[in-house]
Amino acid sequence: MNRESEFFKGMIKYALLAAALVAVVAVLAVIPRREEKRDNWMVEVRIIEKVISEMDGEQVYLIRTEDKEGREAIYEINKSALNERLEVESVYQEIKEDKYYKFKMADRDEYDSHYPVICGAVSLIEGFSQ
């Protein structure tokens, strides 16, 4: 009887351990994963000029812009900052000079670029918002 009792206790112990392991795996599967948070902001600009330049031995797609206060800035279109479905060349070609656009920006240090970076797709707008 003692042997049967030890066997029964061992079975219960392993069953409880297996249930606890399944519960931990289930909890980890349900908890949403944290995405890397980046410091992004939206800008509305008028495109003054588009330039393809060579820096550090590679082509860099740049746009020179002006905001509604008349301040000029240069932004870079960088593959690492774009959505994986977007290509640098297609975003660059989509942007037209003397048009107004709204897009999300990130600091240049976040994507190891030369200038602040355009993140994702650009949206053509009629003009600056109020």
Side-chain angles (χ1 to χ4, degrees):
M1 172 113 180
N2 193 13
R3 193 178 228 176
E4 290 176 5
S5 165
E6 291 296 320
F7 178 74
F8 186 67
K9 286 180 183 178
M11 291 293 289
I12 290 176
K13 181 172 104 175
Y14 287 116
L16 289 175
L17 282 174
L21 182 63
V22 169
V24 167
V25 170
V27 167
L28 291 177
V30 171
I31 294 174
R33 291 176 178 80
R34 289 188 204 178
E35 292 185 17
E36 197 172 315
K37 290 197 174 197
R38 301 205 183 252
D39 189 19
N40 296 337
W41 67 94
M42 295 295 287
V43 295
E44 290 182 356
V45 295
R46 182 177 69 84
I47 306 302
I48 298 172
E49 180 183 25
K50 297 176 8 177
V51 176
I52 300 175
S53 180
E54 188 162 321
M55 295 180 182
D56 299 332
E58 60 184 45
Q59 284 187 332
V60 179
Y61 294 81
L62 304 173
I63 58 170
R64 190 166 63 107
T65 66
E66 179 181 65
D67 65 9
K68 64 182 169 183
E69 280 87 35
R71 294 180 299 230
E72 291 189 11
I74 297 176
Y75 299 122
E76 181 178 338
I77 304 171
N78 185 321
K79 178 63 180 167
S80 62
L82 293 177
N83 184 324
E84 57 269 352
R85 295 175 298 192
L86 299 174
E87 294 295 324
V88 172
E89 295 83 8
S90 63
V91 172
Y92 181 79
Q93 289 176 355
E94 181 182 326
I95 297 171
K96 306 294 182 209
E97 291 181 3
D98 286 328
K99 299 283 184 184
Y100 295 87
Y101 290 91
K102 182 177 186 178
F103 44 81
K104 194 180 292 188
M105 299 299 306
D107 191 39
R108 67 186 190 95
D109 296 332
E110 291 187 39
Y111 292 101
D112 194 31
S113 62
H114 302 91
Y115 295 95
V117 183
I118 295 174
C119 297
V122 297
S123 301
L124 181 65
I125 56 177
E126 295 296 320
F128 294 121
S129 63
Q130 298 300 332

